[in-house]
Amino acid sequence: MKITFSDAARAAESAAESARSFLDRFGSETKKAESDGDFLLRSIDQARNELARAEALFNEVTEQSAIDYASYSILAARAKYVYLLEQAKKLHIHF
């Protein structure tokens, strides 16, 4: 399967929307329908999936600009995942 730069751009927009949603939800002081721990665990699972998708994208792209994008996507997804794991550790959340 050949992935083009436009496919990578669509994936980037999806990741950006996910990050915006995460930041809005995590930073919000409104009523919470779920506990912070449950939200954090769900966010960790989503971040792990984003990292897997970024790695899969890297393995499929062929254009140099798409390879660059995929590389940065992996770095960003990994940083998000590690950050969330550190937050879970600080809150003594085990899974």
Side-chain angles (χ1 to χ4, degrees), residues 17 25-26 31 58 74 93:
E17 180 59 35
R25 173 72 170 92
F26 201 72
K31 288 199 303 190
F58 180 81
I74 289 171
I93 297 173

Side-chain angles (χ1 to χ4, degrees), residues 26 34-44 88 91 93 95:
F26 201 72
E34 61 185 337
S35 75
D36 286 341
D38 290 340
F39 177 73
L40 186 56
L41 289 174
R42 191 166 46 86
S43 296
I44 289 170
L91 296 173
I93 297 173
F95 52 98

Side-chain angles (χ1 to χ4, degrees), residues 52-71:
R53 283 193 306 270
E55 290 170 341
L57 176 64
F58 180 81
N59 290 327
E60 296 294 327
V61 294
T62 58
E63 297 174 23
Q64 183 60 44
S65 57
I67 292 169
D68 291 343
Y69 165 77
S71 297

Side-chain angles (χ1 to χ4, degrees), residues 45-88:
D45 189 48
Q46 289 173 349
R48 183 177 30 243
N49 290 335
E50 287 174 24
L51 179 56
R53 283 193 306 270
E55 290 170 341
L57 176 64
F58 180 81
N59 290 327
E60 296 294 327
V61 294
T62 58
E63 297 174 23
Q64 183 60 44
S65 57
I67 292 169
D68 291 343
Y69 165 77
S71 297
Y72 287 117
S73 294
I74 289 171
L75 292 172
R78 186 175 293 140
K80 180 179 178 181
Y81 183 60
V82 168
Y83 170 79
L84 292 171
L85 290 175
E86 289 171 354
Q87 294 304 306

Side-chain angles (χ1 to χ4, degrees), residues 8-22:
R10 280 193 292 276
E13 181 56 35
S14 175
E17 180 59 35
S18 174
R20 281 191 293 273
S21 174
F22 168 77

